[in-house]
Amino acid sequence: MAKYHWQSQNVKQSGVDDMVLLSKITEEAIVENLKKRYMDDYIFTYIGAVLISINPFKQMPYFTDREIELYQGAAQYENPPHIYALTDNSYRNMLIDGENQCVIISGESGAGKTVAAKYIMGYISKVSGGGAKVQHVKDIILQSNPLLEAFGNAKTVRNNNSSRFGKYFEIQFSRGGEPDGGKISNFLLEKSRVVSQNDNERNFHIYYQLMEGATAQQKEAFGIMTPDYYLYLNQSGTYKVDGTNDSKDFHETMEAMQVIGIPGDIQTQVLQIVAGILHLGNISFIEAGNYGQVESMDLLAFPAYLLAIDPNRLQEKLTSRKMDSKWGGKSESIDVTLNREQATYTRDALAKALYARLFDYLVEAINKAIQKPHEEFSIGVLDIYGFEIFQRNGFEQFCINFVNEKLQQIFIELTLKAEQEEYVQEGIKWTPIQYFNNKIVCDLIENKLNPPGVMSVLDDVCATMHAKGEGADGTLLQKLQAAVGSHEHFNSWNSGFVIHHYAGKVSYDINGFCERNRDVLFPDLIELMQSSEFDFIRSLFPENLNTDKKSRPTTASSKIKRQANDLVNTLMKCTPHYIRCIKPNETKRPKDWEESRVKHQVEYLGLRENIRVRRAGFAYRRVFTKFLQRYAILTAETWPLWRGPEQQGVLHLLRSVNMDNDQYQMGRTKIFVKNPESLFLLEEMRERKFDTFARTIQKAWRRYIARKKYEQMREEASDILYNSKERRKNSINRNFVGDYLGLEQKPELRQFLAKRERVDFADSVNKFDRRFKSIKRDLILTPKGIYLIGREKVKKGPEKGQIKEVLKRKLEFGSIDGVSLSTRQDDFFILHETQYDSLLESNFKTEFLSLLSKRYEDATKRKLAISFTDRLEFRVKKEGWGGGSSRVVVFQNGAGDQAELKPAGKTLTITIGNGLPKSSKPTRKSGLQSLGGGRNERADRAHQNEANKMSRRPKQSDTTYSSPHKQSRPPQAALPKLGFQKSARVSTQNHNNQGNMDFLNVPDEGMSGKQRKQSIGRRPPPAPKPQPRPQGPRCRALYQYVGQDTDEISFEVNDVFDLVKEDQSGWWTGRIRGKEGLFPGNYVEKI
């Protein structure tokens, strides 16, 4: 069945899905296309394999399980652009190629990177399999998001949920594609936010969550007040965020800690530290004789209590510092009293260190919960702070923008530079495309020498700083001017410097650069925290203060530079996938489109150059060896081994699928394929080959299992009647089908059953009333009971006069007393029930009894009572004043296989000829017979209803009663040829397709080559002469039958048609409406 999607319902065409198809490649055309799609709520657009995502600032409707199912295993071009398509592509590439993948999400702050990362992780979690352990890993991966967002995200003027740290999340997989581990690398938490925020911004979310979501008991224990009470929260005057429920988020954060496995007592201490930091910020200082002094001793007590440290030691360490003094080769420690500004700085340094180490602990807790001993495959998701420009840009913005500069460099290296260079190396015809390479900006920031970069100069200045170093920032500005002042991407101004980033010019305020770069935590503060009574707090400060440190301390800039380059190296080892996020406005409102802002992002993201390279280039490239290995199965010549030059083998494969010459180019060592559609043609052919082989294996296995099951069912059913009842010739070896009514396509009957109630047996039977008048009833057996459904004419209402199905009776297993049958070959049986009995006639009574016995025993834990006698008595339903009474059914010996009924008063006499002996049992065919023919190949073909998933016809190796002098299966002429049999198994979607299915196989030389060969190699056979219609017996259909194969006929109830040939296998040959074919003999009566 065709699948439909949210976009396919909308007839309006919104621009183009893939901007490679734009007729005009200009920034204006790109912006216009994105705008059209954005205004119609299509936030995703492709540039080849690159996904462009625009923040809609609202929840979109196409992230449900329906979309996950739609995009799973689909080619990119099959469905509209979506992040699920990119994620599925990376997941399948990992499994197919055995290579690690990474998704690089880039864009400025507020463009939607974090949400994109969440959708990626959610999709992988849904489509990958696994047991309880894998599910635990999935839960941790998903729960890590709310936890890290609470402690690492904050509201900024640009974004209500801005990531204030960088995160590279590797989801690790087993070779079967199950996520069984993971690892998070975090970069540069913006610690300064803990102690100060700009206007209209907030501190980290966890502070506000704690105040809104904590219980009354927690608030009392942690001394929680309103946010305006705390210095670390009240500087910006912003406490609430539109659309954010801090209380609800707090409970999600606590649940995430639980899932990750953080113990309850540690969870409490985590919150205690968060509260302790807030109270620490309220310790203020006054100047007393040029020295800092704690203004209110009362405010010392609570943070000291929460951190489990001595309040006097806290006061001492905030207002004084031990310094090492060296003189004449000797070293001694002296206590230096701090001034007010230095004491404030020390307090803030302690608060930042506590928070940063707490954050590192949470990341490590997640890593420990999902680590695995050895890595196999992984998909990395990079969700890192976006490029940002604020009114005042400090050291943190400098580091953030540097990392984004490095990410842009990767994108340029891999999508523009490396791709073009590869074409030249492989000898592919190529016209170079110009683009801006931002390596020059990266070098300006991170170069070590000739000339030294900004970070190198910064580290040199910091190495010569003393204590607070008030004049260090001015020295830094002078040295920068001397070192890089003439650089074309650098300018200085009176309070700092300007860097011309790929995304625009940014003015950095030099104030505080050196202090934040040093990032030194004084030993006094480490010693103070190591004196805490809490083991957990002591574990956050594991330093050994007794060792001499002679090396230069690591600075923040050198750390972020190292992390950025390590990240780049990690990403370069993976197959990259790109998501370029665009922020459409600064108002954070849906459908608000700021043209100039979007155009600026389109320009600096290099989308125009990206389109040009992609348009001229090739979507897929693979070395000849790997290409041959993957697609060798498509032709007999290449499987299992191509004997010849690899390049010729690749060409042979491409020609075998009739790929157009303009869709590929042969390089020196690689094949280059232009469009993904062409590649998908190869993948589709390959999957079809494997599908064919899988079906062959499945079919053989199912045939074996079904044969065993049917034999067992027949044996069990036969045991019920063994030595008690004569058997009919055509029923003893019949396959059991179960549902003879086709309930799946009869909702009018299924309405009486529960929604997912399984059907064991369903058949149209004859029910006899008190006057022995026959009435048609539909008999249905399920695990819940027996249903008898009839039909009545509606007497009232709008449907008056219509015939409607009515539930005449439902029998619970507990109310059934037993079943009575005669000893003869007839089809009659009586269901004895507590209130009254039912006399029924069914061709499939043996199958019904067998299934009823099992269900009865399951429900009542006792055997069903079955009696055999030629004088049966049954009680009829009470009617009016007459009361209930009994009826008698007597069976007599007669002639023929058809029962004759003679009612007389309260007695019904049934006369019928002798059947097979009571000791008859199903017999099996010999192994030699079971190898012939091909009828058995259809035994597992799906039918149009649930029960008929098993074929009606007996398999070759199934049982049949023995008659050595007769054929044991239908004549060979009625069977399909062996060659046809193989090819026709590829698709089971359309049972009525009468044509040859050879087109589904991959031909050796392509379809056109095969047809040409066939037409040249042999002349078409002459048309067969019309055969005269034979005169012979006819038959009438007792039941509807829908042909399940090309050599079968279909008919409706009461259809009369020619009987061409009878066969003891039970499959007869007939002719109806000009078509001759096979049908089950027990569905008709001869006339």
Side-chain angles (χ1 to χ4, degrees):
M1 182 182 284
K3 288 182 178 175
Y4 295 96
H5 190 257
W6 48 273
Q7 281 198 342
S8 63
Q9 307 299 323
N10 193 336
V11 292
K12 183 179 178 184
Q13 181 67 33
S14 293
V16 294
D17 282 358
D18 190 336
M19 291 197 286
V20 172
L21 304 173
L22 283 173
S23 54
K24 202 173 178 186
I25 309 175
T26 62
E27 265 90 8
E28 291 77 11
I30 294 168
V31 171
E32 182 58 31
N33 188 67
L34 292 174
K35 181 181 179 181
K36 275 182 191 173
R37 295 179 62 73
Y38 177 74
M39 289 304 183
D40 287 330
D41 283 340
Y42 303 154
I43 63 171
F44 297 119
T45 309
Y46 291 132
I47 298 176
V50 176
L51 182 70
I52 311 299
S53 171
I54 303 180
N55 191 341
F57 292 108
K58 64 177 181 179
Q59 184 61 47
M60 303 308 285
Y62 35 80
F63 294 98
T64 66
D65 289 348
R66 185 162 173 257
E67 278 69 44
I68 288 174
E69 183 187 343
L70 187 69
Y71 283 90
Q72 192 175 350
Q76 179 180 302
Y77 66 85
E78 285 189 283
N79 295 312
H82 203 293
I83 195 167
Y84 288 166
L86 177 137
T87 309
D88 189 74
N89 190 30
S90 66
Y91 180 65
R92 282 190 296 124
N93 282 1
M94 177 191 73
L95 295 177
I96 289 168
D97 299 330
E99 295 173 357
N100 292 340
Q101 312 285 308
C102 65
V103 182
I104 301 173
I105 310 171
S106 56
E108 64 183 50
S109 181
K113 300 182 297 301
T114 300
V115 176
K118 284 186 202 170
Y119 282 130
I120 290 170
M121 287 190 267
Y123 181 87
I124 290 171
S125 175
K126 286 276 189 183
V127 301
S128 52
K133 186 188 172 195
V134 169
Q135 188 56 49
H136 179 62
V137 170
K138 288 181 182 181
D139 290 341
I140 293 172
I141 289 170
L142 296 177
Q143 288 294 336
S144 67
N145 280 321
L147 181 60
L148 293 182
E149 279 188 23
F151 284 85
N153 286 28
K155 175 193 170 6
T156 68
V157 291
R158 289 183 171 271
N159 182 359
N160 287 345
N161 186 32
S162 178
S163 299
R164 307 318 297 164
F165 72 107
K167 176 178 69 175
Y168 183 61
F169 202 139
E170 283 181 86
I171 306 172
Q172 296 166 347
F173 295 85
S174 66
R175 296 201 170 271
E178 299 168 339
D180 57 357
K183 186 172 73 176
I184 297 176
S185 306
N186 62 307
F187 312 98
L188 190 75
L189 179 72
E190 188 189 32
K191 292 184 293 188
S192 61
R193 183 167 295 274
V194 175
V195 299
S196 66
Q197 308 88 39
N198 295 329
D199 289 344
N200 295 319
E201 296 195 351
R202 294 205 312 178
N203 207 321
F204 291 103
H205 293 324
I206 186 61
Y207 292 110
Y208 309 93
Q209 291 180 8
L210 180 61
M211 289 181 182
E212 294 292 327
T215 63
Q217 187 180 355
Q218 285 174 321
K219 286 182 180 179
E220 185 179 349
F222 302 150
I224 300 297
M225 313 287 278
T226 55
D228 56 358
Y229 170 75
Y230 300 102
L231 175 72
Y232 284 169
L233 302 183
N234 63 22
Q235 297 167 56
S236 68
T238 302
Y239 308 114
K240 298 278 186 186
V241 177
D242 290 342
T244 299
N245 185 334
D246 288 316
S247 176
K248 177 171 166 283
D249 291 348
F250 176 73
H251 292 109
E252 286 183 7
T253 302
M254 298 310 294
E255 185 186 338
M257 281 203 247
Q258 193 69 36
V259 170
I260 285 157
I262 298 174
D265 58 329
I266 301 296
Q267 291 179 32
T268 302
Q269 289 183 35
V270 166
L271 298 180
Q272 205 158 322
I273 292 171
V274 171
I277 291 170
L278 286 180
H279 287 285
L280 198 62
N282 277 12
I283 300 172
S284 56
F285 303 92
I286 55 172
E287 198 81 35
N290 291 330
Y291 297 124
Q293 187 177 315
V294 173
E295 185 175 7
S296 170
M297 297 300 289
D298 294 341
L299 292 173
L300 266 175
F302 212 75
Y305 157 72
L306 289 173
L307 300 174
I309 52 178
D310 183 80
N312 295 322
R313 291 199 70 187
L314 176 60
Q315 180 193 8
E316 178 193 336
K317 297 302 181 186
L318 291 179
T319 55
S320 67
R321 180 180 308 154
K322 269 186 188 171
M323 296 192 74
D324 291 334
S325 174
K326 290 185 180 178
W327 185 261
K330 292 184 179 180
S331 178
E332 61 176 324
S333 290
I334 56 171
D335 283 328
V336 177
T337 308
L338 307 178
N339 62 28
R340 180 187 172 191
E341 187 184 352
Q342 289 171 329
T344 303
Y345 172 81
T346 304
R347 177 201 68 193
D348 291 348
L350 177 59
K352 289 189 286 186
L354 265 171
Y355 194 85
R357 291 177 184 224
L358 180 62
F359 186 78
D360 287 341
Y361 162 78
L362 294 173
V363 172
E364 191 56 32
I366 296 168
N367 283 337
K368 279 181 181 173
I370 54 176
Q371 68 183 358
K372 57 186 283 194
H374 60 281
E375 292 185 20
E376 291 170 288
F377 299 139
S378 69
I379 296 177
V381 181
L382 182 64
D383 171 23
I384 208 157
Y385 20 57
F387 184 87
E388 58 188 27
I389 308 173
F390 293 122
Q391 191 168 357
R392 181 193 174 279
N393 301 289
F395 177 72
E396 283 83 2
Q397 278 67 47
F398 173 72
C399 293
I400 286 169
N401 292 342
F402 162 66
V403 174
N404 277 272
E405 201 76 56
K406 292 292 286 184
L407 291 181
Q408 177 69 3
Q409 190 182 6
I410 291 182
F411 186 77
I412 288 168
E413 282 283 337
L414 296 179
T415 60
L416 302 175
K417 183 171 179 282
E419 188 162 342
Q420 297 196 69
E421 288 174 355
E422 186 177 35
Y423 295 148
V424 173
Q425 289 166 7
E426 287 287 328
I428 301 296
K429 295 174 187 174
W430 184 255
T431 305
I433 290 167
Q434 298 303 312
Y435 58 91
F436 168 66
N437 190 340
N438 74 328
K439 185 178 185 301
I440 189 171
V441 182
C442 293
D443 290 345
L444 164 66
I445 297 171
E446 65 175 340
N447 246 15
K448 288 187 176 177
L449 295 167
N450 301 324
V454 174
M455 285 183 169
S456 294
V457 175
L458 177 58
D459 284 352
D460 287 340
V461 172
C462 289
T464 58
M465 277 176 67
H466 298 289
K468 178 75 170 64
E470 288 86 351
D473 292 330
T475 306
L476 171 63
L477 195 54
Q478 291 171 10
K479 290 202 170 185
L480 284 175
Q481 185 61 41
V484 292
S486 59
H487 196 288
E488 61 178 314
H489 291 274
F490 179 91
N491 302 114
S492 60
W493 57 294
N494 56 354
S495 297
F497 59 93
V498 177
I499 289 184
H500 299 232
H501 287 285
Y502 78 99
K505 295 180 185 178
V506 182
S507 301
Y508 295 103
D509 189 334
I510 201 80
N511 185 37
F513 250 69
C514 292
E515 199 58 57
R516 286 174 179 173
N517 184 50
R518 278 184 75 197
D519 197 29
V520 175
L521 186 63
F522 297 113
D524 304 60
L525 298 178
I526 296 173
E527 189 184 328
L528 173 68
M529 299 319 296
Q530 287 178 345
S531 71
S532 171
E533 293 175 17
F534 291 147
D535 292 341
F536 175 62
I537 291 181
R538 290 201 301 274
S539 72
L540 298 178
F541 294 85
E543 291 90 342
N544 185 354
L545 297 176
N546 297 322
T547 57
D548 289 336
K549 281 194 174 180
K550 294 184 179 177
S551 60
R552 184 192 286 188
T554 305
T555 61
S557 63
S558 60
K559 186 178 176 185
I560 194 69
K561 182 163 68 173
R562 187 187 73 249
Q563 286 180 328
N565 285 310
D566 288 348
L567 175 64
V568 167
N569 292 334
T570 302
L571 296 176
M572 290 296 234
K573 290 174 188 169
C574 303
T575 303
H577 305 264
Y578 302 96
I579 302 176
R580 312 289 264 168
C581 295
I582 289 177
K583 187 178 184 182
N585 60 61
E586 280 296 336
T587 62
K588 306 186 189 79
R589 291 203 309 259
K591 296 283 179 91
D592 188 4
W593 183 266
E594 294 178 22
E595 192 95 7
S596 58
R597 173 167 297 282
V598 177
K599 188 179 178 189
H600 175 64
Q601 292 171 79
V602 166
E603 287 171 353
Y604 76 64
L605 289 171
L607 299 191
R608 182 169 65 95
E609 293 78 7
N610 194 192
I611 293 171
R612 290 182 64 200
V613 171
R614 181 67 185 77
R615 198 162 173 171
F618 296 84
Y620 172 88
R621 73 282 322 268
R622 186 55 52 97
V623 293
F624 295 145
T625 312
K626 280 198 170 185
F627 186 89
L628 265 174
Q629 283 173 353
R630 179 145 188 82
Y631 301 110
I633 198 170
L634 295 187
T635 70
E637 291 81 2
T638 52
W639 180 263
L641 184 67
W642 170 257
R643 303 184 187 284
E646 288 177 341
Q647 192 168 9
Q648 291 303 313
V650 171
L651 277 171
H652 172 77
L653 284 169
L654 295 172
R655 287 167 184 160
S656 76
V657 296
N658 291 336
M659 191 179 288
D660 294 337
N661 291 337
D662 62 354
Q663 285 299 304
Y664 65 89
Q665 275 198 49
M666 304 293 288
R668 295 187 176 99
T669 64
K670 294 180 182 178
I671 167 71
F672 292 80
V673 179
K674 194 164 186 66
N675 289 321
E677 292 85 346
S678 302
L679 176 66
F680 194 70
L681 169 69
L682 288 163
E683 283 295 317
E684 199 171 19
M685 294 289 196
R686 181 177 180 272
E687 283 177 22
R688 198 176 286 167
K689 275 282 185 186
F690 277 115
D691 187 54
T692 305
F693 299 149
R695 283 175 188 277
T696 304
I697 295 167
Q698 283 175 347
K699 189 185 296 175
W701 175 249
R702 284 176 183 157
R703 186 162 64 238
Y704 171 77
I705 293 298
R707 184 173 72 240
K708 293 289 183 189
K709 179 186 170 189
Y710 285 150
E711 286 171 1
Q712 184 184 355
M713 284 175 69
R714 271 194 297 270
E715 289 288 341
E716 289 172 357
S718 179
D719 288 345
I720 294 173
L721 307 183
Y722 186 66
N723 281 338
S724 297
K725 188 173 176 68
E726 295 174 357
R727 304 298 304 276
R728 284 184 178 276
K729 281 192 289 186
N730 282 343
S731 74
I732 193 166
N733 292 307
R734 183 183 60 78
N735 273 353
F736 289 177
V737 172
D739 180 6
Y740 296 92
L741 296 177
L743 287 185
E744 282 241 323
Q745 286 152 15
K746 292 193 176 175
E748 68 274 14
L749 295 179
R750 282 219 68 114
Q751 66 176 313
F752 302 110
L753 279 57
K755 190 172 183 182
R756 298 183 188 278
E757 193 169 349
R758 179 180 167 178
V759 174
D760 292 329
F761 179 86
D763 183 29
S764 180
V765 302
N766 293 321
K767 179 189 175 297
F768 294 85
D769 63 11
R770 61 178 58 238
R771 298 178 184 82
F772 304 115
K773 183 181 175 185
S774 171
I775 312 160
K776 280 288 180 186
R777 290 281 185 266
D778 291 327
L779 173 69
I780 300 174
L781 173 66
T782 77
K784 293 185 176 180
I786 299 171
Y787 299 81
L788 281 167
I789 299 168
R791 284 152 186 81
E792 287 183 358
K793 189 178 284 189
V794 180
K795 296 177 180 176
K796 293 180 183 178
E799 295 179 337
K800 184 179 178 182
Q802 293 184 23
I803 304 295
K804 287 284 182 182
E805 286 70 19
V806 178
L807 180 61
K808 289 292 187 179
R809 195 173 189 197
K810 183 181 178 184
L811 302 178
E812 304 287 345
F813 293 120
S815 67
I816 296 174
D817 297 327
V819 180
S820 297
L821 301 93
S822 78
T823 62
R824 304 188 174 275
Q825 66 161 327
D826 61 276
D827 291 325
F828 292 86
F829 61 95
I830 297 172
L831 278 176
H832 298 286
E833 200 253 355
T834 310
Q835 293 181 333
Y836 60 94
D837 306 329
S838 296
L839 173 61
L840 304 172
E841 181 187 23
S842 169
N843 284 0
F844 310 118
K845 65 184 180 307
T846 310
E847 181 178 353
F848 172 72
L849 277 178
S850 172
L851 294 166
L852 174 61
S853 297
K854 286 182 186 174
R855 287 298 178 199
Y856 183 85
E857 190 170 346
D858 291 344
T860 65
K861 308 303 179 195
R862 61 178 186 267
K863 295 275 186 185
L864 177 67
I866 304 176
S867 61
F868 300 89
T869 174
D870 287 342
R871 187 179 189 280
L872 304 179
E873 189 172 330
F874 69 98
R875 291 173 300 118
V876 295
K877 186 179 180 182
K878 291 182 181 181
E879 286 188 359
W881 297 99
S885 59
S886 297
R887 297 290 183 271
V888 175
V889 184
V890 177
F891 293 85
Q892 295 179 352
N893 192 20
D897 293 336
Q898 297 298 321
E900 291 183 10
L901 280 63
K902 291 181 183 175
K906 294 186 177 183
T907 302
L908 173 66
T909 304
I910 299 175
T911 308
I912 192 166
N914 292 329
L916 294 175
K918 294 176 184 178
S919 58
S920 299
K921 276 216 162 195
T923 54
R924 302 181 185 183
K925 287 188 177 182
S926 67
L928 184 66
Q929 286 172 313
S930 71
L931 295 172
R935 292 304 308 169
N936 58 341
E937 291 209 8
R938 295 192 198 81
D940 303 315
R941 289 293 293 273
H943 196 263
Q944 60 190 9
N945 59 56
E946 181 183 355
N948 285 350
K949 283 176 183 167
M950 302 299 178
S951 170
R952 298 178 191 275
R953 54 174 91 64
K955 302 182 193 62
Q956 290 295 70
S957 54
D958 278 347
T959 56
T960 178
Y961 67 95
S962 314
S963 295
H965 61 284
K966 293 187 178 179
Q967 278 181 272
S968 60
R969 57 188 170 88
Q972 193 67 30
L975 298 169
K977 294 184 179 70
L978 189 61
F980 172 79
Q981 190 74 8
K982 287 178 182 173
S983 62
R985 292 295 157 262
V986 176
S987 173
T988 58
Q989 299 301 312
N990 185 359
H991 299 306
N992 298 322
N993 184 2
Q994 304 297 324
N996 193 302
M997 306 290 278
D998 270 0
F999 72 94
L1000 289 179
N1001 283 344
V1002 181
D1004 290 345
E1005 301 171 353
M1007 201 61 222
S1008 59
K1010 181 167 183 175
Q1011 289 171 345
R1012 187 166 59 252
K1013 206 170 186 180
Q1014 287 174 346
S1015 63
I1016 294 169
R1018 74 166 186 264
R1019 299 179 65 179
K1025 294 177 182 178
Q1027 296 180 355
R1029 179 171 169 175
Q1031 297 296 319
R1034 309 198 81 198
C1035 55
R1036 177 184 289 108
L1038 297 172
Y1039 308 98
Q1040 178 199 39
Y1041 182 72
V1042 179
Q1044 298 170 52
D1045 219 328
T1046 53
D1047 58 353
E1048 295 178 15
I1049 59 173
S1050 303
F1051 46 75
E1052 299 293 330
V1053 177
N1054 293 327
D1055 277 355
V1056 175
F1057 54 92
D1058 296 333
L1059 176 58
V1060 177
K1061 190 168 189 176
E1062 293 181 56
D1063 194 274
Q1064 292 191 6
S1065 68
W1067 284 92
W1068 297 357
T1069 306
R1071 185 185 296 107
I1072 185 170
R1073 291 183 283 276
K1075 183 185 175 183
E1076 188 172 303
L1078 297 165
F1079 66 92
N1082 53 3
Y1083 274 54
V1084 302
E1085 61 178 1
K1086 289 197 285 185
I1087 54 174

